[in-house]
Structures are given as C-alpha cells and as structure tokens.
Amino acid sequence: MSDRPGEVLDLFVIGGGINGAGIANDAAGRGLSVGLCEQGDLAGATSSASSKLIHGGLRYLEHHEYRLVREALREREVLMAKAPHIIWPLRFILPHRPHLRPAWMLRAGLFLYDHLGKRKRLPGSRSLRLDHRQGLDPAISRGFEYSDCWVDDARLVALNAMQARDHGAEILVRTRCIDARERDGLWELTLEATESGERLTRRCRTLVNAAGPWVEGVVRGQAHRHSRYAVRLIQGSHLIVPRLNHDERAYILQNTDRRIVFVLPYEEDFSLIGTTDRRYEGDPSRIEASEEEIDYLLSVVNAHFRTQLSREAVIRTFSGVRPLCDDESADPSAMTRDYTLDLDTHGAPLLSVFGGKITTYRKLAEAALEALSPHLPEMQPPWTAEARLPGGEIGDHAASEARLLADYPYLDARQARRFARTYGTLCRAFLDGRDSQAALGEAFGAGLTAAEVDYLIEREWARSAEDILWRRTKLALRLTDSERQRLVDYLEAAAAQGTPRPASTGASPRRTA
C-alpha cells in the first residue's frame, strides 16, 4: 500500500461485505477506477452470518413486500446462472400445522411465490404427505414443498471482490477509513492498515458507504455529514448440529410467534438451524448467540422432529446483525429487508447503503451506480446480469467433479466434490502442474493442503485460520484442534517469510484532478 498523490479514483467503497464488493465489482466492470477498503476480512461481519440462502423471502409476502419478493425471485434465476459452483437449487418442506396458518393460506402464498417472478430453472410447489422418512413428529402428516437456492455467502463476496480486482479495482483488506474530508470538490480519505498502523490517502470523486452495521457511524463520524436515515440492528443467530435429516431437502418450520425457522442441510454431515430476530444495541463486532436464542431455536426444532436436540448437540453457533433501515416497526420480523440508498450531494457525492439482503445485492449495486451516474459521466452500461463470477464455468456439479477426478486422478472423491462446490474452475490454479497428493504440500487434515492455503493467501486475501477455515472454506467443522494449530503455525511462518500477498492494485485508468 502506498500514497498516490495526484491520482483520483472515480469511486471508492467503504465496506467489504456483499453490497460493497458488489458495487465495486459493477463499477470496475463499467470502466471506472475503483478502490475499496474493508476494516477486517471480506465478508467478516453480516455477509458471512446469513442463513446461506438465495431466496425470494416467502414470509415477506405476509408483510406485503411484493416488490422485494418479485425482484428477489428474478435475481434468484440470474444468480444461479452467474455462480453455479456456489449457488444451487434447494427444495424446502413446509410442514402444515393447522393452528398456525390454514392450508389455504399456505397454498395461496406458494402460488404467488411460484408466479410472482420469472421461474425458468426451478420446479414449482406441490402438496406432500409426510411420513416417518422425514423424521418429523408423527402428528405432522401434511405439508408442502417448494424451491429456493443455497449459497456460500462468504465466497459470493470474495468472488465479487476478485472480479472487481480483475477489472482493475484496488481491494484493501484489514484497512479502515479513519477520516473522509471534502477538498476542492473531491473526497480525500485517510486510511489505516489495522495490522501495521500504516496510513495512506486516496482521493475520489464519489464515495460509497457500504459499511453495513457501521453505516450510520461512517456518515456522522468519518464523513462529517448528517444522516437522513437511522439504522436498526437486528440480531440473527444460527446453530450447527449433527445432520437431522438424510435427504437433500431443507425445512421451513412455523412457530407460534408466527416466525419461521430454517433447518438446512449443511456441509453434508450437519444441519444449520436459524434464524432469530431481536433488536441488538451492542458492538456489532462482538455479537454472539444468547442463551435465550439457543433455547428458542432448539424448541422450534424439537416441536417438529422426533429426534430431540439438547444443548450438547450444538456444535457451533454464529450470529450476525442485519443493518436494516429503521422504519419504526415494533416487530423486528416485520421490518423491511428492502434496501434504501441515501445520496447526499451537498458537496462531493456520498452514497450510503441501508439494509438489503444478499439475494438482491446485484440489483442494489445497479441502483447505486444509477444514482451516481450524473457524477460519473464516463460510466459504461450495466454488465453483471450476464457475466459469470470467477470459477463459474462448470456446467453442473456432477460434470465439474467428474472433470476434476479425470484431470487430477490423485484427488479423492470428497476433495473433488469440495473443490467443485467451493472454487469451480478456480481450483485449477493450485492443482495444475501437480501430479500427486504429496505435490500439494503439507496436509493439514480434511483434504486441506499447503497448495490450497497458499492460493487463498495469494489470490483471495486470506490471512488467518479463521479466514480460511470459516469464510473461504468450512473446514473448521472437520479439523481437530491439533490440525488447526498446525495451520496457524504455517500461516505465521508464511507471514514471517513474506509469502506474497494478493496484488491489490488493479490496472484501471487513473485520472488526475
């Protein structure tokens, strides 16, 4: 990192979650010079703590969020085509409990869900007779089935950042913006590397504040402006438990408080249970599941399944905060998940992003750049709807796995499956030229080797074991404590030896003031 006196970026983004990475990617692909800073790791907060779904939001229909659901359903189709390696179809079972919602209401909601947006790739909904094979309480004998999609949320962020870099964007991780001042009609930013304390400056024509839970603080603090909107932080917590069901379907469970809880197949051997909705007023970087939330999620699941889960069954919990635009709703579940873009043109343009959901990140990015278009006259047309994300040229998962096993016969089936569903074609960057497991270098366990770790450091901004084991992969669920410690030791040795870090400076044209 270094200062660049005289260089002026068209756009700079504060925040490396899905909205920030999506805006940076779209802007860089339109020929703009772009920078982005993230105070921690990419997807280090809200964007890696979601329920891992690309979905229209069936329950939003009850709150009459028809525009949001329609846009999300349309985006579901677009994103499946853009990133088939990390997004794939998922069928959901909705058990019917007559005392909560009548069958006619569920049928009507699913009919709307099937037809509100364009649905070309996914099968529609249908009625079900449930039996012992689903593992549900015997009293639950009827239900419905419908389609949505699974996504590896943290990898979706990383892939957008990588594509932005491929188009010339500068991506600075573990770098926070500590001040933003307007000088001569431009923004002058003071950035600080969180690990070294090194400071640098960047100048830009437009500034995007996509800081998620910190969005309001950035407006008032770093940018020294007044915010027209307030953010309300809503906590959502999840549990990881041993696999509850043995097919590939998920469950959407109704509860007496009229909320719903998902039970999702997770990493083959586990189930992911979530989420909660409660107001949060603490530090977003220190959020964790409360005892009450754990009990709540377990009680909803235990009301539906024969196998009863205890606290001891919980392998891990994780929590995030949804930074929703405060619509003064008394019920957190009823607060809109739609996004609000606040453009302040009293001086150099500042665009702040409030709310949003991972499914609609691409449309949010397009809307953000449309709002900024009067200030960026050289911007080229939208392009992201048709462009695949890095690694997405796979056809389908089965074909991708088969090609990997044919081209690299030393891989075992589990490795090939994980590489296909984590990297798509990107895994060839660390597999090409190697002819054996030994050639992949030190083995840390669960198929993770030095070749993969080095790739993640050099090309995907990974620094820590947490970056690698929870956000770039989910192998923390499979490594032992001693294997994890060996990875930590390896990363420390690599950092001490100066293992190359990813090139953060792109090739976008730099303009002078």
Side-chain angles (χ1 to χ4, degrees):
M1 294 187 294
S2 60
D3 282 332
R4 293 173 177 165
E7 290 186 343
V8 178
L9 298 169
D10 292 313
L11 180 144
F12 196 93
V13 180
I14 299 173
I18 188 57
N19 291 331
I23 291 169
N25 187 22
D26 194 348
R30 297 195 198 199
L32 301 178
S33 53
V34 175
L36 177 148
C37 72
E38 161 55 45
Q39 64 180 349
D41 182 30
L42 294 170
T46 302
S47 294
S48 60
S50 77
S51 296
K52 326 294 184 194
L53 297 178
I54 297 295
H55 66 140
L58 180 61
R59 69 187 180 91
Y60 305 154
L61 292 175
E62 283 192 319
H63 304 297
H64 311 294
E65 296 255 23
Y66 302 118
R67 191 211 67 79
L68 175 62
V69 175
R70 181 184 293 108
E71 180 175 271
L73 289 172
R74 289 174 175 170
E75 280 300 288
R76 191 178 64 179
E77 298 280 327
V78 173
L79 295 180
M80 275 194 292
K82 282 180 65 66
H85 48 326
I86 62 163
I87 298 172
W88 55 84
L90 188 60
R91 290 292 278 178
F92 283 78
I93 295 175
L94 170 56
H96 177 226
R97 303 179 75 192
H99 63 290
L100 297 179
R101 290 174 179 87
W104 68 262
M105 180 183 290
L106 298 179
R107 276 196 300 269
L110 289 169
F111 179 85
L112 267 178
Y113 205 66
D114 282 343
H115 296 92
L116 199 55
K118 295 178 180 179
R119 180 174 54 82
K120 298 178 181 178
R121 298 168 177 265
L122 299 174
S125 59
R126 67 187 184 103
S127 297
L128 283 179
R129 286 291 176 186
L130 302 173
D131 56 36
H132 67 279
R133 289 173 295 182
Q134 285 83 39
L136 293 167
D137 185 300
I140 303 174
S141 61
R142 187 181 178 188
F144 302 89
E145 187 177 283
Y146 70 96
S147 295
D148 265 321
C149 292
W150 172 265
V151 64
D152 186 328
D153 51 3
R155 289 209 58 77
L156 185 65
V157 177
L159 294 179
N160 271 274
M162 291 172 72
Q163 195 166 53
R165 182 184 60 198
D166 291 344
H167 282 107
E170 179 183 41
I171 307 296
L172 301 170
V173 300
R174 289 174 167 79
T175 303
R176 61 173 170 251
C177 178
I178 60 175
D179 193 54
R181 302 273 177 174
E182 185 184 357
R183 299 187 191 280
D184 302 322
L186 300 172
W187 286 104
E188 185 171 290
L189 311 177
T190 302
L191 310 178
E192 181 179 76
T194 58
E195 295 170 329
S196 67
E198 175 190 358
R199 289 193 176 184
L200 61 153
T201 58
R202 292 292 182 269
R203 300 168 74 209
C204 59
R205 291 181 169 80
T206 59
L207 182 61
V208 173
N209 169 17
W214 296 273
V215 59
E216 191 178 355
V218 168
V219 175
R220 301 178 189 278
Q222 285 89 329
H224 313 285
R225 296 270 179 97
H226 296 289
S227 179
R228 288 195 299 161
Y229 299 99
V231 68
R232 186 186 290 191
L233 302 182
I234 303 299
Q235 178 170 350
S237 294
H238 297 80
L239 315 178
I240 300 173
V241 301
R243 188 68 170 262
L244 276 174
N245 65 304
H246 299 288
D247 62 23
E248 289 303 312
R249 289 178 293 184
Y251 290 83
I252 176 171
L253 309 179
Q254 303 174 81
N255 193 37
T256 53
D257 60 5
R258 301 195 66 78
R259 291 205 67 257
I260 56 94
V261 169
F262 294 115
V263 180
L264 308 166
Y266 190 60
E267 295 297 308
E268 298 189 8
D269 301 320
F270 308 94
S271 290
L272 178 63
I273 301 169
T275 179
T276 56
D277 268 314
R278 54 183 279 173
R279 183 120 185 214
Y280 183 76
E281 296 180 343
D283 181 349
S285 65
R286 298 181 179 275
I287 190 168
E288 58 183 28
S290 69
E291 298 298 314
E292 293 79 11
E293 287 178 300
I294 296 171
D295 288 340
Y296 173 85
L297 293 173
L298 290 175
S299 69
V300 175
V301 172
N302 287 338
H304 286 80
F305 283 87
R306 289 197 306 272
T307 300
Q308 298 291 287
L309 295 177
S310 66
R311 283 293 192 92
E312 288 67 36
V314 178
I315 297 169
R316 181 182 168 103
T317 68
F318 66 87
S319 300
V321 289
R322 307 177 190 93
L324 304 182
C325 192
D326 193 349
D327 60 7
E328 300 183 352
S329 215
D331 178 8
S333 296
M335 288 190 68
T336 181
R337 268 53 176 175
D338 212 342
Y339 52 82
T340 298
L341 303 177
D342 180 23
L343 178 59
D344 181 350
T345 56
H346 294 89
L350 170 66
L351 181 79
S352 296
V353 179
F354 292 82
K357 59 198 297 285
I358 197 165
T359 305
T360 53
Y361 87 89
R362 196 194 64 83
K363 292 297 289 184
L364 183 153
E366 287 188 340
L369 291 176
E370 177 64 25
L372 289 170
S373 60
H375 310 280
L376 299 168
E378 297 181 20
M379 183 168 62
Q380 296 168 13
W383 63 281
T384 58
E386 303 297 329
R388 292 207 173 187
L389 286 169
E393 304 82 8
I394 66 164
D396 60 51
H397 285 147
S400 180
E401 292 171 36
R403 283 192 298 271
L404 288 177
L405 288 169
D407 293 345
Y408 311 100
Y410 57 86
L411 295 179
D412 63 45
R414 185 177 280 251
Q415 274 181 312
R417 179 175 172 83
R418 182 172 70 82
F419 290 164
R421 291 181 172 236
T422 302
Y423 301 106
T425 59
L426 291 174
C427 64
R428 294 177 180 271
F430 59 84
L431 293 176
D432 280 353
R434 304 175 194 267
D435 58 5
S436 67
Q437 286 283 347
L440 295 173
E442 183 174 354
F444 300 102
L448 180 69
T449 65
E452 183 178 355
V453 170
D454 291 347
Y455 161 83
L456 291 171
I457 295 170
E458 294 164 11
R459 298 300 300 163
E460 294 200 13
W461 298 277
R463 298 282 193 275
S464 70
E466 183 85 0
D467 298 348
I468 291 170
L469 297 180
W470 281 113
R471 285 181 285 276
R472 304 307 184 278
T473 75
K474 305 298 179 287
L475 291 176
L477 291 166
R478 302 192 182 281
L479 264 61
T480 65
D481 289 343
S482 61
E483 290 170 336
R484 192 178 294 111
Q485 185 57 51
R486 281 173 45 220
L487 174 62
V488 170
D489 295 342
Y490 182 87
L491 293 172
E492 290 176 352
Q497 293 168 9
T499 296
R501 292 186 172 186
S504 59
T505 303
S508 286
R510 307 291 178 186
R511 303 186 180 94
T512 57

